[in-house]
Amino acid sequence: MILRNINKKALEVLALVMISFSCDLEEVNVNPNNAETAPLSLRLPVAQVNAVFGIANTAQFSSIWTQQLTGTLSDFEDVTNYRFLPGFSEFTWSSRLYAGAMIDLNGIITEADASGATHISGVARIIMAMCLGHLVDTFGDVPYTQAFDPVQFPQPGYDNGSALYTEIQSLLDQAISDLNSTSTFSPTNFDLIYPQSSESEWVTVSAPLWIKTANALRARYYIHLTKVDATDAAQNALTAINAGAFVSNDEDAKVSFGPEQAGPWFGFFSSTFGQNNIALCQTFVDLLKNRVAVGVDDPRAAFYFSNKVSDAVTYGSIDKPAGVNEVGPYLNTLEAPTNLITYTEVKFIEAEAHFRLGQFDEAASAFNEAVISSIVKVTGDSDAVYEAAFASEDATSIQTNGLEKIFTEKHIALFLEHENWVDWRRSIPSGAAGTVSGIPSLTPSAKNETGGAYPRRFLYPQSEVANNSNTPSVSITDKVFWDN
């Protein structure tokens, strides 16, 4: 059986060691290539947690820009109006990713390689690839090759985003090799994504799932390149999937933090900050309302929203009435999953790749399965009415507005996931003006501060701008390398 909640032993470990990993990168004056006091088995889950929280924190902002949420006060109102300040990136960049997950992963990989603990180094490389891809997709060029030795490189240089995408694929390829090798030590129940009670079970059950995760991520980062070379991106994505990615929802790479530890979204929505400063956006609620027919809503509405399709908050409004619709139990509970990459996402990637290659039978089949798997994942059961309306494509019907169907259904399925914003930017036609929307079509807040141009990246955090003279000067309407 695959254990999907953080176990008690791992929670005890996290409680003991999380504090030591919360400092900023510029305060870390140790060489990560030297052995740390804590053993690999304790450092790996800490790195995984930091990665999960860093990625989810970013989605709190990007989900506003895709209008699944809207900000009603404070920083989140600023984000809604495209007034993004450098300080908004601080937590993800400094605390969770660079000084949290990534500097630790770098040390884990070095030590695990040296000691022959290749299963741990394989997992660490996959999480590193995910963190690095997240940073490039969010910020563009970022430090990497000089990022983890602040003594030698107190002001690390910035690596080109395109080169880092090559590095991501290299990390994932090496991770697969690591996981296929014989190791002196495996993560067992210290692995928060695919924990097992013994090394033999981890080798038999979890290592193959991590290989599938690596292939799924390879497909994700290849399909991101459709605006660079759509044919090449599609072919490479399919090659990665065919090498062995997820085959069901049961294999998803995710963390469920409950019942003893709240995950990123539940903790946020439960706080005063989340309760007062953010709301469900009417734009997204309206997309699910009457989606099948008048009076027949998307079945996921009852799980995404607290009151199905009752009124939410208009994008850009600062009026949040008492009792207004809130985020529902799918993400707003202690046990709610934090998805890293899922079977549903892989099937949407497969559908898009086949569509771009003119393979419409395969595109329709993958699309139908993606929609069905999302319904089952969110609601726990299939829905024949919705499937008849939105998951019954064939080789002919998928050719009519096929990409719009794929991106729209994926937008619904990946509710409050950062990948939504990546796809939305990818769906904007190459060379289009900055005021042209992606899919689904969005309208900026009336109080936007960019002249109607949509945000295409985050700003570098203030600490990085202040302490690293190599930091590029950018605006939120500048594009990352794959967005043209």
Side-chain angles (χ1 to χ4, degrees):
M1 181 180 69
I2 301 173
L3 306 176
R4 307 314 299 271
N5 283 15
I6 291 182
N7 55 73
K8 185 175 181 181
K9 184 176 181 181
L11 280 170
E12 292 171 349
V13 170
L14 293 176
L16 289 172
V17 300
M18 279 291 283
I19 295 174
S20 66
F21 293 90
S22 63
C23 58
D24 288 341
L25 183 59
E26 53 267 28
E27 296 174 353
V28 179
N29 292 315
V30 296
N31 187 336
N33 293 323
N34 292 334
E36 301 286 346
T37 302
L40 293 173
S41 59
L42 303 191
R43 287 150 55 201
L44 181 63
V46 174
Q48 290 176 325
V49 166
N50 274 323
V52 169
F53 273 81
I55 291 170
N57 177 258
T58 308
Q60 291 171 7
F61 297 119
S62 62
S63 295
I64 291 175
W65 285 346
T66 57
Q67 297 187 20
Q68 294 187 333
L69 300 174
T70 184
T72 54
L73 280 174
S74 189
D75 296 348
F76 295 99
E77 181 184 355
D78 287 335
V79 173
T80 300
N81 293 321
Y82 304 163
R83 182 174 179 265
F84 192 95
L85 303 178
F88 298 167
S89 304
E90 200 71 57
F91 180 79
T92 290
W93 178 289
S94 298
S95 297
R96 288 301 191 180
L97 294 188
Y98 275 113
M102 294 171 73
I103 196 168
D104 212 29
L105 290 166
N106 184 70
I108 290 169
I109 291 167
T110 300
E111 186 177 334
D113 282 349
S115 64
T118 50
H119 291 165
I120 286 184
S121 61
V123 172
R125 282 186 166 95
I126 292 171
I127 302 298
M128 179 70 89
M130 193 181 305
C131 292
L132 186 57
H134 186 78
L135 286 167
V136 174
D137 294 339
T138 305
F139 295 95
D141 297 350
V142 295
Y144 181 70
T145 56
Q146 298 180 359
F148 308 118
D149 190 344
V151 175
Q152 185 175 357
F153 301 109
Q155 296 190 45
Y158 276 64
D159 295 284
N160 178 270
S162 179
L164 292 176
Y165 253 53
T166 300
E167 175 64 17
I168 289 166
Q169 295 295 342
S170 178
L171 282 166
L172 294 170
D173 287 343
Q174 182 60 52
I176 292 170
S177 177
D178 290 343
L179 290 162
N180 277 319
S181 68
T182 301
S183 176
T184 60
F185 187 66
S186 300
T188 62
N189 63 342
F190 290 101
D191 178 2
L192 302 186
I193 315 300
Y194 298 118
Q196 301 297 334
S197 59
S198 69
E199 287 201 38
S200 61
E201 286 181 325
W202 194 94
V203 170
T204 302
V205 178
S206 298
L209 291 171
W210 273 112
I211 291 171
K212 290 183 177 185
T213 300
N215 283 321
L217 288 168
R218 289 175 63 224
R220 170 193 280 179
Y221 293 115
Y222 279 130
I223 206 68
H224 285 181
L225 302 177
T226 51
K227 292 172 80 169
V228 177
D229 185 327
T231 299
D232 192 55
Q235 290 173 337
N236 286 334
L238 289 176
T239 298
I241 291 170
N242 292 335
F246 305 132
V247 298
S248 74
N249 289 337
D250 291 337
E251 297 182 337
D252 291 350
K254 65 181 181 181
V255 180
S256 296
F257 285 87
E260 299 177 65
Q261 173 67 41
W265 278 116
F266 180 76
F268 174 69
F269 290 132
S270 299
S271 69
T272 301
F273 204 59
Q275 290 172 351
N276 294 340
N277 297 0
I278 209 163
L280 273 172
C281 184
Q282 193 71 50
T283 306
F284 187 66
V285 171
D286 286 346
L287 180 60
L288 274 63
K289 185 176 183 178
N290 299 323
R291 182 155 180 80
V292 179
V294 175
V296 184
D297 306 320
D298 187 307
R300 290 164 290 194
F303 297 83
Y304 286 169
F305 313 143
S306 61
N307 296 309
K308 293 188 178 180
V309 289
S310 65
D311 289 339
V313 175
T314 300
Y315 193 67
S317 173
I318 59 173
D319 180 23
K320 186 179 180 182
V324 73
N325 207 359
E326 301 283 358
V327 174
Y330 176 64
L331 290 179
N332 197 7
T333 62
L334 272 168
E335 294 80 9
T338 300
N339 296 317
L340 299 176
I341 189 165
T342 63
Y343 172 67
T344 296
E345 181 183 337
V346 169
K347 295 307 289 187
F348 277 117
I349 293 170
E350 184 180 342
E352 180 186 348
H354 281 303
F355 185 89
R356 291 185 182 276
L357 295 174
Q359 299 164 353
F360 300 119
D361 271 322
E362 295 89 343
S365 177
F367 173 79
N368 293 339
E369 177 55 28
V371 176
I372 292 168
S373 68
S374 173
I375 297 294
V376 173
K377 178 180 176 65
V378 175
T379 73
D381 203 354
S382 58
D383 189 291
V385 175
Y386 193 89
E387 290 170 18
F390 292 102
S392 58
E393 299 289 338
D394 57 31
T396 300
S397 64
I398 196 69
Q399 294 182 57
T400 302
N401 301 321
L403 286 178
E404 182 174 356
K405 292 173 181 176
I406 292 167
F407 278 110
T408 300
E409 280 293 332
K410 192 176 179 185
H411 173 76
I412 296 171
L414 272 58
F415 179 52
L416 300 189
E417 294 185 30
H418 187 71
E419 191 67 13
N420 252 319
W421 185 47
V422 175
D423 284 337
W424 186 85
R425 287 176 287 164
R426 285 199 305 112
S427 67
I428 300 171
S430 293
T435 54
V436 173
S437 176
I439 301 170
S441 181
L442 304 177
T443 301
S445 162
K447 296 180 288 185
N448 79 85
E449 298 189 9
T450 59
Y454 293 97
R456 308 290 272 266
R457 72 189 303 154
F458 281 23
L459 298 182
Y460 298 109
Q462 188 58 50
S463 64
E464 184 72 4
V465 174
N467 295 310
N468 188 350
S469 61
N470 295 312
T471 308
S473 177
V474 298
S475 74
I476 62 169
T477 57
D478 293 335
K479 302 170 185 176
V480 302
F481 85 96
W482 49 254
D483 183 13
N484 56 42

